[in-house]
Amino acid sequence: MAEIENKNPGKDITPEDLETKFPLAAKKHPEHVSKFTIAGIEFGGKGLPIMAGPNMVESRDLIFDVAENIKHCGSHFLRGGAFKPLTFPYRSPKYNETREDGIRWLGEAKERFGIPVITEVMEERYLPLVCEVADIIQIGSRNMQNYPFLTACARTGKPIMLKRHYGASLRDWLGAAEYILVEGNERVMLCERGVSAPHTHRATSRYLLDLQVVPAAKEITHLPVIVDPSHATFWAPWVRPMALAAIAAGADGLMIEVHPNPSQAAVDSLQPIDYRSFHSLASAASKLKSFLIAGEFG
Ligand code: PEP
Ligand code: MN
């Protein structure tokens, strides 16, 4: 650990933590960076993996339309929740989770359009079903510290994206990642998606994108860090600037909510961007990443 100069590597992270609390998530030396491939896409390398799609897998037609269009626009993975951590238990028909059907439609869209899938699972009993389709398991913010569930997900051997709980410190986030790594599952990535904060700049914005956590995490861990500006800002016009800022901050990938008709989205209709905006963002994002890489290595 000697190479890490900071005596308190994180606000609440001590040098001992790197050796005793999360030795597998911690960097062994400053250049230690995890690189791995999922469905042919490299994470932690020079490229910029992008995951895009609707908040919810609303219907078969919607997910087919999105899969085809986002792939064309430069997305590497199709995202979409069939199992959703919805804040309130009441459902209008439009707001219904599509559950097993949604997972099946994701699988069909993956086959038809040749795009790999990332989707959230919230209960251990659905892991076998979700693993038939998902190339990456998404563990949502709300399950970040559900330790038996982290272990069960890790044991599937599937790559995992661990979203940060909106109240979690970097130390707690890395502790959760360690629960996955300790099972021998090495394809783990972190995802910053906004934290609770008193000042969020719009009445509808529930979270503040913590971009500072990107360099902070990368000082301490070798795991790739993905940024989701959609859930953080809850406001489509802010997605592009914050996505580009995330890349400048060192993010290894993006998760972006995209919907063909954002105002009609069944869930959180203020946050998705449309195909045109996504096309332009995906192209700007990869250009910015290449520009920064050229600066570092050129
Ligand atoms: C999502 O990505 O659909 C989601 C629910 O995200 P989070 O867990 O970050 O709220
Ligand atoms: Mn969502």
Side-chain angles (χ1 to χ4, degrees):
M1 262 346 93
E3 292 89 343
I4 295 177
E5 287 164 17
N6 193 340
K7 290 213 169 50
N8 287 299
K11 189 175 177 189
D12 58 353
I13 298 175
T14 65
E16 293 73 57
D17 287 344
L18 307 184
E19 280 165 12
T20 59
K21 300 290 193 288
F22 38 82
L24 301 173
K27 277 185 138 149
K28 302 284 176 274
H29 54 83
E31 285 76 41
H32 180 196
V33 176
S34 268
K35 284 195 186 114
F36 48 79
T37 299
I38 304 171
I41 307 294
E42 189 184 47
F43 284 79
K46 294 185 187 180
L48 184 78
I50 302 179
M51 311 165 189
N55 188 311
M56 182 146 95
V57 182
E58 297 173 28
S59 67
R60 187 171 183 272
D61 285 351
L62 175 92
I63 207 66
F64 272 49
D65 194 66
V66 174
E68 184 172 22
N69 280 282
I70 55 140
K71 186 175 176 185
H72 171 75
C73 295
S75 186
H76 305 94
F77 290 83
L78 173 64
R79 69 141 278 147
F83 295 103
K84 293 291 309 168
L86 299 168
T87 306
F88 305 103
Y90 311 111
R91 304 279 183 272
S92 67
K94 190 184 171 200
Y95 199 66
N96 251 330
E97 287 174 276
T98 50
R99 304 175 70 84
E100 289 93 333
D101 287 339
I103 297 295
R104 190 159 40 81
W105 299 331
L106 280 169
E108 290 172 9
K110 167 174 162 166
E111 284 280 298
R112 172 96 154 249
F113 302 104
I115 184 162
V117 163
I118 172 164
T119 194
E120 176 162 2
V121 56
M122 294 192 297
E123 293 172 76
E124 185 174 344
R125 66 189 165 124
Y126 290 115
L127 277 172
L129 175 78
V130 170
C131 285
E132 278 176 31
V133 167
D135 295 276
I136 306 175
I137 293 175
Q138 174 172 326
I139 298 179
S141 305
R142 290 146 184 94
N143 262 321
M144 189 200 90
Q145 288 181 306
N146 183 344
Y147 301 117
F149 183 62
L150 298 181
T151 302
C153 289
R155 288 184 180 165
T156 65
K158 283 276 178 184
I160 293 178
M161 186 174 87
L162 179 65
K163 287 191 124 183
R164 179 189 185 188
H165 187 272
Y166 36 87
S169 66
L170 177 54
R171 187 172 192 261
D172 288 351
W173 197 13
L174 294 177
E178 191 79 9
Y179 268 89
I180 301 169
L181 295 165
V182 79
E183 296 302 325
N185 190 333
E186 294 181 344
R187 289 187 296 174
V188 180
M189 62 192 98
L190 304 172
C191 177
E192 158 60 24
R193 47 76 71 212
V195 292
S196 294
H199 307 293
T200 54
H201 318 298
R202 273 186 70 85
T204 48
S205 296
R206 293 160 77 194
Y207 307 110
L208 190 72
L209 184 61
D210 180 8
L211 280 187
Q212 200 168 307
V213 85
V214 178
K218 287 162 95 55
E219 243 170 40
I220 291 170
T221 181
H222 54 90
L223 300 173
V225 181
I226 311 299
V227 170
D228 170 354
S230 305
H231 280 83
T233 60
F234 205 76
W235 183 233
W238 294 351
V239 167
R240 181 188 175 99
M242 297 321 290
L244 297 176
I247 298 165
D252 294 292
L254 295 173
M255 170 168 267
I256 306 286
E257 257 185 44
V258 178
H259 194 283
N261 194 353
S263 66
Q264 296 305 305
V267 185
D268 298 345
S269 61
L270 298 176
Q271 77 195 23
I273 58 174
D274 62 17
Y275 296 147
R276 259 175 84 98
S277 311
F278 176 65
H279 196 181
S280 158
L281 173 56
S283 129
S286 25
K287 280 187 202 138
L288 177 57
K289 175 80 179 190
S290 310
F291 174 79
L292 293 170
I293 292 270
E296 274 168 43
F297 301 102

